[in-house]
Amino acid sequence: MADIEGAAVPERLLITRTTTGDGVGIVVLAGEVDLDGSSQLRDVLLSCVQSAPGTVVDFGEVGFLDSSGINVLITAHRAAEARGVWFRIAAPQHAVERVLQLVGVDTLIGCFPTVEQALAA
């Protein structure tokens, strides 16, 4: 099952949500995660953690992540913890991975090189 959430800001952020056979949510992002798209991303991630036993956010096609995107990730992680489900990040490109490391998000939220590894963890 795939739901295309559409561009949060045309040509800036595309959000696609799919569900695995066992109900795990996979949110695939493409573009830039910044203030313009963070509100829609927050809504999608919070919806996912409320309905799925686990959520993986695929950053493979994201070239930029700012502080508003980091805040969205932390909010979704906390919501997942409160519900007793897991929340993971997968496939961040080098620039995004560096931001996650600089602010310590990688120590709070599990970060994995691939979606498959995030699902298997």
Side-chain angles (χ1 to χ4, degrees):
M1 176 180 131
D3 294 324
I4 305 291
E5 298 293 337
V9 175
E11 300 178 21
R12 297 274 307 267
L13 179 63
L14 179 67
I15 304 168
T16 306
R17 179 178 173 182
T18 61
T19 305
T20 65
D22 55 354
V24 172
I26 299 175
V27 177
V28 180
L29 308 176
E32 299 179 355
V33 179
D34 58 16
L35 184 60
D36 292 333
S38 62
S39 177
Q40 184 177 6
L41 178 58
R42 184 191 68 243
D43 293 345
V44 170
L45 293 181
L46 290 177
S47 172
C48 198
V49 299
Q50 291 302 316
S51 62
T55 301
V56 174
V57 184
D58 181 352
F59 272 85
E61 297 296 320
V62 173
F64 178 79
L65 172 69
D66 75 1
S67 61
S68 64
I70 296 216
N71 287 332
V72 167
L73 293 174
I74 292 170
T75 298
H77 168 72
R78 288 182 178 159
E81 278 188 327
R83 191 168 168 261
V85 298
W86 52 266
F87 183 80
R88 300 176 184 145
I89 296 170
Q93 293 182 21
H94 180 71
V96 170
E97 183 177 36
R98 183 77 176 122
V99 170
L100 295 172
Q101 292 170 344
L102 284 171
V103 297
V105 170
D106 64 327
T107 63
L108 179 67
I109 303 170
C111 295
F112 299 85
T114 67
V115 171
E116 292 76 20
Q117 288 172 319
L119 289 169

